[in-house]
mmCIF file with all atom_site columns, all heavy atoms in Angstrom:
data_model
loop_
_atom_site.group_PDB
_atom_site.id
_atom_site.type_symbol
_atom_site.label_atom_id
_atom_site.label_alt_id
_atom_site.label_comp_id
_atom_site.label_asym_id
_atom_site.label_entity_id
_atom_site.label_seq_id
_atom_site.pdbx_PDB_ins_code
_atom_site.Cartn_x
_atom_site.Cartn_y
_atom_site.Cartn_z
_atom_site.occupancy
_atom_site.B_iso_or_equiv
_atom_site.pdbx_formal_charge
_atom_site.auth_seq_id
_atom_site.auth_comp_id
_atom_site.auth_asym_id
_atom_site.auth_atom_id
_atom_site.pdbx_PDB_model_num
ATOM 1   N N   . PHE A 1 1  ? 108.596 102.308 72.628 1.00 0.00 ? 1  PHE A N   1
ATOM 2   C CA  . PHE A 1 1  ? 109.943 102.936 72.874 1.00 0.00 ? 1  PHE A CA  1
ATOM 3   C C   . PHE A 1 1  ? 110.989 101.945 72.438 1.00 0.00 ? 1  PHE A C   1
ATOM 4   O O   . PHE A 1 1  ? 110.962 100.809 72.825 1.00 0.00 ? 1  PHE A O   1
ATOM 5   C CB  . PHE A 1 1  ? 110.106 103.346 74.321 1.00 0.00 ? 1  PHE A CB  1
ATOM 6   C CG  . PHE A 1 1  ? 109.044 104.317 74.781 1.00 0.00 ? 1  PHE A CG  1
ATOM 7   C CD1 . PHE A 1 1  ? 107.890 103.835 75.425 1.00 0.00 ? 1  PHE A CD1 1
ATOM 8   C CD2 . PHE A 1 1  ? 109.210 105.669 74.524 1.00 0.00 ? 1  PHE A CD2 1
ATOM 9   C CE1 . PHE A 1 1  ? 106.928 104.792 75.752 1.00 0.00 ? 1  PHE A CE1 1
ATOM 10  C CE2 . PHE A 1 1  ? 108.238 106.576 74.916 1.00 0.00 ? 1  PHE A CE2 1
ATOM 11  C CZ  . PHE A 1 1  ? 107.102 106.114 75.512 1.00 0.00 ? 1  PHE A CZ  1
ATOM 12  N N   . THR A 1 2  ? 111.868 102.453 71.587 1.00 0.00 ? 2  THR A N   1
ATOM 13  C CA  . THR A 1 2  ? 112.925 101.562 71.069 1.00 0.00 ? 2  THR A CA  1
ATOM 14  C C   . THR A 1 2  ? 114.287 102.237 71.260 1.00 0.00 ? 2  THR A C   1
ATOM 15  O O   . THR A 1 2  ? 114.419 103.471 71.399 1.00 0.00 ? 2  THR A O   1
ATOM 16  C CB  . THR A 1 2  ? 112.733 101.365 69.530 1.00 0.00 ? 2  THR A CB  1
ATOM 17  O OG1 . THR A 1 2  ? 112.780 102.661 68.844 1.00 0.00 ? 2  THR A OG1 1
ATOM 18  C CG2 . THR A 1 2  ? 111.442 100.647 69.214 1.00 0.00 ? 2  THR A CG2 1
ATOM 19  N N   . VAL A 1 3  ? 115.322 101.359 71.322 1.00 0.00 ? 3  VAL A N   1
ATOM 20  C CA  . VAL A 1 3  ? 116.701 101.816 71.377 1.00 0.00 ? 3  VAL A CA  1
ATOM 21  C C   . VAL A 1 3  ? 117.344 101.160 70.103 1.00 0.00 ? 3  VAL A C   1
ATOM 22  O O   . VAL A 1 3  ? 117.335 99.952  70.003 1.00 0.00 ? 3  VAL A O   1
ATOM 23  C CB  . VAL A 1 3  ? 117.403 101.446 72.644 1.00 0.00 ? 3  VAL A CB  1
ATOM 24  C CG1 . VAL A 1 3  ? 117.321 99.997  72.983 1.00 0.00 ? 3  VAL A CG1 1
ATOM 25  C CG2 . VAL A 1 3  ? 118.842 101.941 72.613 1.00 0.00 ? 3  VAL A CG2 1
ATOM 26  N N   . ARG A 1 4  ? 117.763 102.007 69.177 1.00 0.00 ? 4  ARG A N   1
ATOM 27  C CA  . ARG A 1 4  ? 118.363 101.571 67.949 1.00 0.00 ? 4  ARG A CA  1
ATOM 28  C C   . ARG A 1 4  ? 117.491 100.486 67.233 1.00 0.00 ? 4  ARG A C   1
ATOM 29  O O   . ARG A 1 4  ? 118.025 99.512  66.778 1.00 0.00 ? 4  ARG A O   1
ATOM 30  C CB  . ARG A 1 4  ? 119.763 101.093 68.113 1.00 0.00 ? 4  ARG A CB  1
ATOM 31  C CG  . ARG A 1 4  ? 120.761 102.214 68.450 1.00 0.00 ? 4  ARG A CG  1
ATOM 32  C CD  . ARG A 1 4  ? 122.200 101.809 68.286 1.00 0.00 ? 4  ARG A CD  1
ATOM 33  N NE  . ARG A 1 4  ? 123.090 102.818 68.766 1.00 0.00 ? 4  ARG A NE  1
ATOM 34  C CZ  . ARG A 1 4  ? 124.369 102.617 68.987 1.00 0.00 ? 4  ARG A CZ  1
ATOM 35  N NH1 . ARG A 1 4  ? 124.863 101.454 68.822 1.00 0.00 ? 4  ARG A NH1 1
ATOM 36  N NH2 . ARG A 1 4  ? 125.097 103.590 69.446 1.00 0.00 ? 4  ARG A NH2 1
ATOM 37  N N   . GLY A 1 5  ? 116.209 100.744 67.241 1.00 0.00 ? 5  GLY A N   1
ATOM 38  C CA  . GLY A 1 5  ? 115.290 99.861  66.548 1.00 0.00 ? 5  GLY A CA  1
ATOM 39  C C   . GLY A 1 5  ? 114.796 98.654  67.340 1.00 0.00 ? 5  GLY A C   1
ATOM 40  O O   . GLY A 1 5  ? 113.947 97.917  66.848 1.00 0.00 ? 5  GLY A O   1
ATOM 41  N N   . HIS A 1 6  ? 115.294 98.481  68.563 1.00 0.00 ? 6  HIS A N   1
ATOM 42  C CA  . HIS A 1 6  ? 114.845 97.324  69.361 1.00 0.00 ? 6  HIS A CA  1
ATOM 43  C C   . HIS A 1 6  ? 113.835 97.793  70.423 1.00 0.00 ? 6  HIS A C   1
ATOM 44  O O   . HIS A 1 6  ? 114.195 98.658  71.262 1.00 0.00 ? 6  HIS A O   1
ATOM 45  C CB  . HIS A 1 6  ? 116.074 96.711  70.074 1.00 0.00 ? 6  HIS A CB  1
ATOM 46  C CG  . HIS A 1 6  ? 117.038 96.172  69.118 1.00 0.00 ? 6  HIS A CG  1
ATOM 47  N ND1 . HIS A 1 6  ? 116.878 94.953  68.484 1.00 0.00 ? 6  HIS A ND1 1
ATOM 48  C CD2 . HIS A 1 6  ? 118.267 96.638  68.710 1.00 0.00 ? 6  HIS A CD2 1
ATOM 49  C CE1 . HIS A 1 6  ? 117.891 94.777  67.710 1.00 0.00 ? 6  HIS A CE1 1
ATOM 50  N NE2 . HIS A 1 6  ? 118.795 95.746  67.808 1.00 0.00 ? 6  HIS A NE2 1
ATOM 51  N N   . ARG A 1 7  ? 112.636 97.285  70.313 1.00 0.00 ? 7  ARG A N   1
ATOM 52  C CA  . ARG A 1 7  ? 111.596 97.696  71.296 1.00 0.00 ? 7  ARG A CA  1
ATOM 53  C C   . ARG A 1 7  ? 111.929 97.169  72.647 1.00 0.00 ? 7  ARG A C   1
ATOM 54  O O   . ARG A 1 7  ? 112.245 95.988  72.870 1.00 0.00 ? 7  ARG A O   1
ATOM 55  C CB  . ARG A 1 7  ? 110.250 97.159  70.872 1.00 0.00 ? 7  ARG A CB  1
ATOM 56  C CG  . ARG A 1 7  ? 109.152 97.664  71.830 1.00 0.00 ? 7  ARG A CG  1
ATOM 57  C CD  . ARG A 1 7  ? 107.826 97.079  71.588 1.00 0.00 ? 7  ARG A CD  1
ATOM 58  N NE  . ARG A 1 7  ? 107.346 97.318  70.277 1.00 0.00 ? 7  ARG A NE  1
ATOM 59  C CZ  . ARG A 1 7  ? 106.104 97.206  69.889 1.00 0.00 ? 7  ARG A CZ  1
ATOM 60  N NH1 . ARG A 1 7  ? 105.202 96.840  70.785 1.00 0.00 ? 7  ARG A NH1 1
ATOM 61  N NH2 . ARG A 1 7  ? 105.736 97.485  68.674 1.00 0.00 ? 7  ARG A NH2 1
ATOM 62  N N   . PHE A 1 8  ? 111.817 98.061  73.676 1.00 0.00 ? 8  PHE A N   1
ATOM 63  C CA  . PHE A 1 8  ? 112.085 97.645  75.014 1.00 0.00 ? 8  PHE A CA  1
ATOM 64  C C   . PHE A 1 8  ? 110.884 97.929  75.949 1.00 0.00 ? 8  PHE A C   1
ATOM 65  O O   . PHE A 1 8  ? 110.747 97.319  77.022 1.00 0.00 ? 8  PHE A O   1
ATOM 66  C CB  . PHE A 1 8  ? 113.349 98.237  75.608 1.00 0.00 ? 8  PHE A CB  1
ATOM 67  C CG  . PHE A 1 8  ? 113.345 99.742  75.786 1.00 0.00 ? 8  PHE A CG  1
ATOM 68  C CD1 . PHE A 1 8  ? 112.982 100.281 77.027 1.00 0.00 ? 8  PHE A CD1 1
ATOM 69  C CD2 . PHE A 1 8  ? 113.704 100.588 74.739 1.00 0.00 ? 8  PHE A CD2 1
ATOM 70  C CE1 . PHE A 1 8  ? 112.957 101.653 77.188 1.00 0.00 ? 8  PHE A CE1 1
ATOM 71  C CE2 . PHE A 1 8  ? 113.680 101.961 74.928 1.00 0.00 ? 8  PHE A CE2 1
ATOM 72  C CZ  . PHE A 1 8  ? 113.331 102.491 76.164 1.00 0.00 ? 8  PHE A CZ  1
ATOM 73  N N   . ALA A 1 9  ? 110.019 98.846  75.537 1.00 0.00 ? 9  ALA A N   1
ATOM 74  C CA  . ALA A 1 9  ? 108.859 99.192  76.365 1.00 0.00 ? 9  ALA A CA  1
ATOM 75  C C   . ALA A 1 9  ? 107.718 99.643  75.416 1.00 0.00 ? 9  ALA A C   1
ATOM 76  O O   . ALA A 1 9  ? 107.969 100.220 74.375 1.00 0.00 ? 9  ALA A O   1
ATOM 77  C CB  . ALA A 1 9  ? 109.225 100.265 77.364 1.00 0.00 ? 9  ALA A CB  1
ATOM 78  N N   . ALA A 1 10 ? 106.514 99.437  75.885 1.00 0.00 ? 10 ALA A N   1
ATOM 79  C CA  . ALA A 1 10 ? 105.349 99.910  75.137 1.00 0.00 ? 10 ALA A CA  1
ATOM 80  C C   . ALA A 1 10 ? 104.181 100.065 76.118 1.00 0.00 ? 10 ALA A C   1
ATOM 81  O O   . ALA A 1 10 ? 104.142 99.421  77.190 1.00 0.00 ? 10 ALA A O   1
ATOM 82  C CB  . ALA A 1 10 ? 104.946 98.873  74.095 1.00 0.00 ? 10 ALA A CB  1
ATOM 83  N N   . ALA A 1 11 ? 103.289 100.942 75.763 1.00 0.00 ? 11 ALA A N   1
ATOM 84  C CA  . ALA A 1 11 ? 102.063 101.167 76.560 1.00 0.00 ? 11 ALA A CA  1
ATOM 85  C C   . ALA A 1 11 ? 100.895 100.806 75.626 1.00 0.00 ? 11 ALA A C   1
ATOM 86  O O   . ALA A 1 11 ? 100.814 101.323 74.518 1.00 0.00 ? 11 ALA A O   1
ATOM 87  C CB  . ALA A 1 11 ? 101.961 102.586 77.031 1.00 0.00 ? 11 ALA A CB  1
ATOM 88  N N   . THR A 1 12 ? 99.969  100.067 76.148 1.00 0.00 ? 12 THR A N   1
ATOM 89  C CA  . THR A 1 12 ? 98.806  99.651  75.349 1.00 0.00 ? 12 THR A CA  1
ATOM 90  C C   . THR A 1 12 ? 97.652  100.600 75.571 1.00 0.00 ? 12 THR A C   1
ATOM 91  O O   . THR A 1 12 ? 97.650  101.362 76.535 1.00 0.00 ? 12 THR A O   1
ATOM 92  C CB  . THR A 1 12 ? 98.376  98.192  75.728 1.00 0.00 ? 12 THR A CB  1
ATOM 93  O OG1 . THR A 1 12 ? 98.007  98.217  77.066 1.00 0.00 ? 12 THR A OG1 1
ATOM 94  C CG2 . THR A 1 12 ? 99.511  97.171  75.489 1.00 0.00 ? 12 THR A CG2 1
ATOM 95  N N   . LYS A 1 13 ? 96.659  100.492 74.667 1.00 0.00 ? 13 LYS A N   1
ATOM 96  C CA  . LYS A 1 13 ? 95.476  101.332 74.817 1.00 0.00 ? 13 LYS A CA  1
ATOM 97  C C   . LYS A 1 13 ? 94.776  101.153 76.107 1.00 0.00 ? 13 LYS A C   1
ATOM 98  O O   . LYS A 1 13 ? 94.139  102.030 76.664 1.00 0.00 ? 13 LYS A O   1
ATOM 99  C CB  . LYS A 1 13 ? 94.490  101.034 73.691 1.00 0.00 ? 13 LYS A CB  1
ATOM 100 C CG  . LYS A 1 13 ? 94.900  101.512 72.341 1.00 0.00 ? 13 LYS A CG  1
ATOM 101 C CD  . LYS A 1 13 ? 93.795  101.157 71.351 1.00 0.00 ? 13 LYS A CD  1
ATOM 102 C CE  . LYS A 1 13 ? 94.257  101.197 69.924 1.00 0.00 ? 13 LYS A CE  1
ATOM 103 N NZ  . LYS A 1 13 ? 93.169  100.811 69.003 1.00 0.00 ? 13 LYS A NZ  1
ATOM 104 N N   . ASP A 1 14 ? 94.846  99.909  76.667 1.00 0.00 ? 14 ASP A N   1
ATOM 105 C CA  . ASP A 1 14 ? 94.074  99.650  77.910 1.00 0.00 ? 14 ASP A CA  1
ATOM 106 C C   . ASP A 1 14 ? 94.913  100.018 79.177 1.00 0.00 ? 14 ASP A C   1
ATOM 107 O O   . ASP A 1 14 ? 94.555  99.583  80.300 1.00 0.00 ? 14 ASP A O   1
ATOM 108 C CB  . ASP A 1 14 ? 93.658  98.168  77.940 1.00 0.00 ? 14 ASP A CB  1
ATOM 109 C CG  . ASP A 1 14 ? 94.776  97.204  77.995 1.00 0.00 ? 14 ASP A CG  1
ATOM 110 O OD1 . ASP A 1 14 ? 95.954  97.586  77.782 1.00 0.00 ? 14 ASP A OD1 1
ATOM 111 O OD2 . ASP A 1 14 ? 94.506  95.957  78.200 1.00 0.00 ? 14 ASP A OD2 1
ATOM 112 N N   . GLY A 1 15 ? 96.003  100.765 79.049 1.00 0.00 ? 15 GLY A N   1
ATOM 113 C CA  . GLY A 1 15 ? 96.709  101.245 80.178 1.00 0.00 ? 15 GLY A CA  1
ATOM 114 C C   . GLY A 1 15 ? 97.725  100.308 80.801 1.00 0.00 ? 15 GLY A C   1
ATOM 115 O O   . GLY A 1 15 ? 98.070  100.433 81.974 1.00 0.00 ? 15 GLY A O   1
ATOM 116 N N   . ARG A 1 16 ? 98.221  99.375  80.023 1.00 0.00 ? 16 ARG A N   1
ATOM 117 C CA  . ARG A 1 16 ? 99.195  98.437  80.511 1.00 0.00 ? 16 ARG A CA  1
ATOM 118 C C   . ARG A 1 16 ? 100.587 98.790  79.876 1.00 0.00 ? 16 ARG A C   1
ATOM 119 O O   . ARG A 1 16 ? 100.634 99.251  78.757 1.00 0.00 ? 16 ARG A O   1
ATOM 120 C CB  . ARG A 1 16 ? 98.888  97.012  80.171 1.00 0.00 ? 16 ARG A CB  1
ATOM 121 C CG  . ARG A 1 16 ? 97.634  96.489  80.882 1.00 0.00 ? 16 ARG A CG  1
ATOM 122 C CD  . ARG A 1 16 ? 97.381  95.083  80.487 1.00 0.00 ? 16 ARG A CD  1
ATOM 123 N NE  . ARG A 1 16 ? 96.254  94.548  81.240 1.00 0.00 ? 16 ARG A NE  1
ATOM 124 C CZ  . ARG A 1 16 ? 96.368  94.057  82.479 1.00 0.00 ? 16 ARG A CZ  1
ATOM 125 N NH1 . ARG A 1 16 ? 97.509  94.017  83.071 1.00 0.00 ? 16 ARG A NH1 1
ATOM 126 N NH2 . ARG A 1 16 ? 95.322  93.629  83.097 1.00 0.00 ? 16 ARG A NH2 1
ATOM 127 N N   . VAL A 1 17 ? 101.619 98.488  80.670 1.00 0.00 ? 17 VAL A N   1
ATOM 128 C CA  . VAL A 1 17 ? 102.967 98.680  80.141 1.00 0.00 ? 17 VAL A CA  1
ATOM 129 C C   . VAL A 1 17 ? 103.560 97.323  79.867 1.00 0.00 ? 17 VAL A C   1
ATOM 130 O O   . VAL A 1 17 ? 103.338 96.405  80.674 1.00 0.00 ? 17 VAL A O   1
ATOM 131 C CB  . VAL A 1 17 ? 103.872 99.510  81.114 1.00 0.00 ? 17 VAL A CB  1
ATOM 132 C CG1 . VAL A 1 17 ? 103.983 98.828  82.459 1.00 0.00 ? 17 VAL A CG1 1
ATOM 133 C CG2 . VAL A 1 17 ? 105.272 99.728  80.498 1.00 0.00 ? 17 VAL A CG2 1
ATOM 134 N N   . GLN A 1 18 ? 104.216 97.184  78.755 1.00 0.00 ? 18 GLN A N   1
ATOM 135 C CA  . GLN A 1 18 ? 104.886 95.911  78.382 1.00 0.00 ? 18 GLN A CA  1
ATOM 136 C C   . GLN A 1 18 ? 106.420 96.173  78.322 1.00 0.00 ? 18 GLN A C   1
ATOM 137 O O   . GLN A 1 18 ? 106.807 97.145  77.688 1.00 0.00 ? 18 GLN A O   1
ATOM 138 C CB  . GLN A 1 18 ? 104.428 95.473  77.009 1.00 0.00 ? 18 GLN A CB  1
ATOM 139 C CG  . GLN A 1 18 ? 102.963 95.190  76.930 1.00 0.00 ? 18 GLN A CG  1
ATOM 140 C CD  . GLN A 1 18 ? 102.505 94.823  75.529 1.00 0.00 ? 18 GLN A CD  1
ATOM 141 O OE1 . GLN A 1 18 ? 101.542 94.099  75.393 1.00 0.00 ? 18 GLN A OE1 1
ATOM 142 N NE2 . GLN A 1 18 ? 103.107 95.280  74.452 1.00 0.00 ? 18 GLN A NE2 1
ATOM 143 N N   . LEU A 1 19 ? 107.152 95.414  79.100 1.00 0.00 ? 19 LEU A N   1
ATOM 144 C CA  . LEU A 1 19 ? 108.585 95.589  79.212 1.00 0.00 ? 19 LEU A CA  1
ATOM 145 C C   . LEU A 1 19 ? 109.299 94.337  78.845 1.00 0.00 ? 19 LEU A C   1
ATOM 146 O O   . LEU A 1 19 ? 108.998 93.240  79.388 1.00 0.00 ? 19 LEU A O   1
ATOM 147 C CB  . LEU A 1 19 ? 108.940 96.020  80.651 1.00 0.00 ? 19 LEU A CB  1
ATOM 148 C CG  . LEU A 1 19 ? 108.311 97.354  81.116 1.00 0.00 ? 19 LEU A CG  1
ATOM 149 C CD1 . LEU A 1 19 ? 108.298 97.423  82.580 1.00 0.00 ? 19 LEU A CD1 1
ATOM 150 C CD2 . LEU A 1 19 ? 109.055 98.504  80.453 1.00 0.00 ? 19 LEU A CD2 1
ATOM 151 N N   . ARG A 1 20 ? 110.271 94.452  77.944 1.00 0.00 ? 20 ARG A N   1
ATOM 152 C CA  . ARG A 1 20 ? 111.102 93.271  77.593 1.00 0.00 ? 20 ARG A CA  1
ATOM 153 C C   . ARG A 1 20 ? 112.208 93.153  78.631 1.00 0.00 ? 20 ARG A C   1
ATOM 154 O O   . ARG A 1 20 ? 112.891 94.121  78.868 1.00 0.00 ? 20 ARG A O   1
ATOM 155 C CB  . ARG A 1 20 ? 111.734 93.451  76.179 1.00 0.00 ? 20 ARG A CB  1
ATOM 156 C CG  . ARG A 1 20 ? 110.707 93.640  75.079 1.00 0.00 ? 20 ARG A CG  1
ATOM 157 C CD  . ARG A 1 20 ? 110.045 92.329  74.743 1.00 0.00 ? 20 ARG A CD  1
ATOM 158 N NE  . ARG A 1 20 ? 110.960 91.315  74.242 1.00 0.00 ? 20 ARG A NE  1
ATOM 159 C CZ  . ARG A 1 20 ? 111.132 90.925  73.000 1.00 0.00 ? 20 ARG A CZ  1
ATOM 160 N NH1 . ARG A 1 20 ? 110.378 91.478  72.091 1.00 0.00 ? 20 ARG A NH1 1
ATOM 161 N NH2 . ARG A 1 20 ? 111.972 90.033  72.678 1.00 0.00 ? 20 ARG A NH2 1
ATOM 162 N N   . LEU A 1 21 ? 112.360 92.008  79.283 1.00 0.00 ? 21 LEU A N   1
ATOM 163 C CA  . LEU A 1 21 ? 113.289 91.793  80.338 1.00 0.00 ? 21 LEU A CA  1
ATOM 164 C C   . LEU A 1 21 ? 113.957 90.420  80.229 1.00 0.00 ? 21 LEU A C   1
ATOM 165 O O   . LEU A 1 21 ? 113.321 89.482  79.740 1.00 0.00 ? 21 LEU A O   1
ATOM 166 C CB  . LEU A 1 21 ? 112.677 91.911  81.713 1.00 0.00 ? 21 LEU A CB  1
ATOM 167 C CG  . LEU A 1 21 ? 112.130 93.255  82.097 1.00 0.00 ? 21 LEU A CG  1
ATOM 168 C CD1 . LEU A 1 21 ? 111.189 93.164  83.281 1.00 0.00 ? 21 LEU A CD1 1
ATOM 169 C CD2 . LEU A 1 21 ? 113.241 94.237  82.383 1.00 0.00 ? 21 LEU A CD2 1
ATOM 170 N N   . PRO A 1 22 ? 115.157 90.247  80.704 1.00 0.00 ? 22 PRO A N   1
ATOM 171 C CA  . PRO A 1 22 ? 115.737 88.895  80.767 1.00 0.00 ? 22 PRO A CA  1
ATOM 172 C C   . PRO A 1 22 ? 114.886 88.052  81.728 1.00 0.00 ? 22 PRO A C   1
ATOM 173 O O   . PRO A 1 22 ? 114.193 88.510  82.582 1.00 0.00 ? 22 PRO A O   1
ATOM 174 C CB  . PRO A 1 22 ? 117.138 89.159  81.344 1.00 0.00 ? 22 PRO A CB  1
ATOM 175 C CG  . PRO A 1 22 ? 117.413 90.616  81.159 1.00 0.00 ? 22 PRO A CG  1
ATOM 176 C CD  . PRO A 1 22 ? 116.077 91.241  81.135 1.00 0.00 ? 22 PRO A CD  1
ATOM 177 N N   . ARG A 1 23 ? 115.022 86.726  81.586 1.00 0.00 ? 23 ARG A N   1
ATOM 178 C CA  . ARG A 1 23 ? 114.239 85.786  82.346 1.00 0.00 ? 23 ARG A CA  1
ATOM 179 C C   . ARG A 1 23 ? 114.278 86.019  83.846 1.00 0.00 ? 23 ARG A C   1
ATOM 180 O O   . ARG A 1 23 ? 113.206 86.108  84.505 1.00 0.00 ? 23 ARG A O   1
ATOM 181 C CB  . ARG A 1 23 ? 114.646 84.361  82.088 1.00 0.00 ? 23 ARG A CB  1
ATOM 182 C CG  . ARG A 1 23 ? 113.807 83.313  82.787 1.00 0.00 ? 23 ARG A CG  1
ATOM 183 C CD  . ARG A 1 23 ? 114.195 81.923  82.443 1.00 0.00 ? 23 ARG A CD  1
ATOM 184 N NE  . ARG A 1 23 ? 113.766 81.645  81.071 1.00 0.00 ? 23 ARG A NE  1
ATOM 185 C CZ  . ARG A 1 23 ? 112.646 80.972  80.748 1.00 0.00 ? 23 ARG A CZ  1
ATOM 186 N NH1 . ARG A 1 23 ? 111.872 80.538  81.716 1.00 0.00 ? 23 ARG A NH1 1
ATOM 187 N NH2 . ARG A 1 23 ? 112.289 80.776  79.516 1.00 0.00 ? 23 ARG A NH2 1
ATOM 188 N N   . ALA A 1 24 ? 115.433 86.157  84.447 1.00 0.00 ? 24 ALA A N   1
ATOM 189 C CA  . ALA A 1 24 ? 115.518 86.322  85.912 1.00 0.00 ? 24 ALA A CA  1
ATOM 190 C C   . ALA A 1 24 ? 114.869 87.577  86.358 1.00 0.00 ? 24 ALA A C   1
ATOM 191 O O   . ALA A 1 24 ? 114.161 87.597  87.375 1.00 0.00 ? 24 ALA A O   1
ATOM 192 C CB  . ALA A 1 24 ? 117.015 86.320  86.336 1.00 0.00 ? 24 ALA A CB  1
ATOM 193 N N   . GLU A 1 25 ? 115.003 88.650  85.640 1.00 0.00 ? 25 GLU A N   1
ATOM 194 C CA  . GLU A 1 25 ? 114.350 89.939  85.983 1.00 0.00 ? 25 GLU A CA  1
ATOM 195 C C   . GLU A 1 25 ? 112.883 89.892  85.780 1.00 0.00 ? 25 GLU A C   1
ATOM 196 O O   . GLU A 1 25 ? 112.118 90.469  86.540 1.00 0.00 ? 25 GLU A O   1
ATOM 197 C CB  . GLU A 1 25 ? 114.988 91.058  85.198 1.00 0.00 ? 25 GLU A CB  1
ATOM 198 C CG  . GLU A 1 25 ? 116.432 91.354  85.672 1.00 0.00 ? 25 GLU A CG  1
ATOM 199 C CD  . GLU A 1 25 ? 117.046 92.518  84.936 1.00 0.00 ? 25 GLU A CD  1
ATOM 200 O OE1 . GLU A 1 25 ? 116.493 93.576  84.916 1.00 0.00 ? 25 GLU A OE1 1
ATOM 201 O OE2 . GLU A 1 25 ? 118.169 92.293  84.463 1.00 0.00 ? 25 GLU A OE2 1
ATOM 202 N N   . THR A 1 26 ? 112.453 89.168  84.718 1.00 0.00 ? 26 THR A N   1
ATOM 203 C CA  . THR A 1 26 ? 110.991 88.955  84.527 1.00 0.00 ? 26 THR A CA  1
ATOM 204 C C   . THR A 1 26 ? 110.374 88.199  85.728 1.00 0.00 ? 26 THR A C   1
ATOM 205 O O   . THR A 1 26 ? 109.356 88.625  86.229 1.00 0.00 ? 26 THR A O   1
ATOM 206 C CB  . THR A 1 26 ? 110.738 88.138  83.250 1.00 0.00 ? 26 THR A CB  1
ATOM 207 O OG1 . THR A 1 26 ? 111.238 88.882  82.109 1.00 0.00 ? 26 THR A OG1 1
ATOM 208 C CG2 . THR A 1 26 ? 109.277 87.813  83.043 1.00 0.00 ? 26 THR A CG2 1
#
């Protein structure tokens, strides 16, 4: 999932979600 070409979330084949977050929120 992207917003204006910048990926912010993705789901992998193995059922994991990957989320781009700032350091403190990570």
Side-chain angles (χ1 to χ4, degrees):
F1 299 94
T2 59
V3 54
R4 291 196 187 165
H6 299 281
R7 184 189 299 199
F8 67 94
T12 63
K13 287 183 198 178
D14 64 352
R16 293 183 175 276
V17 61
Q18 300 177 150
L19 299 161
R20 300 286 299 256
L21 295 164
R23 180 176 290 261
E25 291 181 51
T26 297

